[in-house]
Amino acid sequence: MAINWVSQVSFEPKLLGVGIEHAALTHELVTASGCFSLCTVARDDRAIIRKFTKPVDVDFAAMTLNGFAFHDGATGAPILDQAPAYIDCEVRQSVEVGNHTFFIGEVVDCGFQMDEETEVLRMEDTRMNYGG
Ligand SMILES: Cc1cc2nc3c(=O)[nH]c(=O)nc-3n(C[C@H](O)[C@H](O)[C@H](O)COP(=O)(O)O)c2cc1C
């Protein structure tokens, strides 16, 4: 899913929090698997965002998510091949906050798949917003 409610919440251990709406398929997947991965998007790759605002279409034979190539991370969560960087987490806490769950995951793996200086897409580049 496209997501921007994300924050680092501890550095020892390294914990990352993600706010996911109850109705999202991703909520079901994170709850069932106990893990999630976060992929950054390159600044010149803006079009990919729209493709991840609907429940995902997975092709296991082709190893694609919505047509984009992925591989399995250390936790088994999918990592997009074209992501400049990824963070792979195991869920440690799930905090219920209104119609979202704030999943707090411990970082078990992370890495760059592009040059570390690659510019990353920011919310203001998308001309979209998320929030009530
Ligand atoms: C720019 C952008 C940011 C978003 N941020 C979030 C977010 O932080 N949390 C969330 O639950 N949904 C967020 N969404 C909405 C989800 O991407 C959308 O509900 C998606 O359909 C969920 O997919 P899923 O049902 O496959 O999990 C955002 C959407 C956009 C376009």
Side-chain angles (χ1 to χ4, degrees):
M1 72 189 298
I3 186 166
N4 76 314
W5 288 7
V6 175
S7 180
Q8 184 169 358
V9 291
S10 161
F11 48 75
E12 190 48 58
K14 288 185 174 52
L15 298 175
L16 182 74
V18 292
I20 301 182
E21 191 179 9
H22 290 159
L25 173 65
T26 304
H27 189 284
E28 208 177 305
L29 299 175
V30 174
T31 302
S33 66
C35 62
F36 62 85
S37 61
L38 182 76
C39 293
T40 59
V41 175
R43 203 163 190 186
D44 58 10
D45 200 11
R46 192 171 70 191
I48 195 174
I49 294 296
R50 276 193 194 284
K51 309 273 181 162
F52 284 87
T53 57
K54 287 185 282 240
V56 74
D57 178 24
V58 191
D59 184 334
F60 285 109
M63 285 294 276
T64 58
L65 293 179
N66 296 333
F68 299 94
F70 76 97
H71 58 277
D72 291 336
T75 62
I79 293 168
L80 291 174
D81 292 0
Q82 70 202 73
Y86 66 89
I87 303 173
D88 198 5
C89 299
E90 283 176 5
V91 175
R92 296 285 179 255
Q93 283 180 63
S94 301
V95 183
E96 289 307 313
V97 276
N99 66 343
H100 283 59
T101 302
F102 194 62
F103 292 102
I104 298 175
E106 181 167 353
V107 178
V108 296
D109 187 33
C110 61
F112 288 97
Q113 304 187 125
M114 286 185 192
D115 189 287
E116 290 184 29
E117 301 303 319
T118 303
E119 291 221 29
V120 167
L121 189 75
R122 302 158 66 106
M123 196 61 178
E124 59 263 37
D125 298 325
T126 68
R127 295 191 211 112
M128 297 177 187
N129 57 51
Y130 184 70

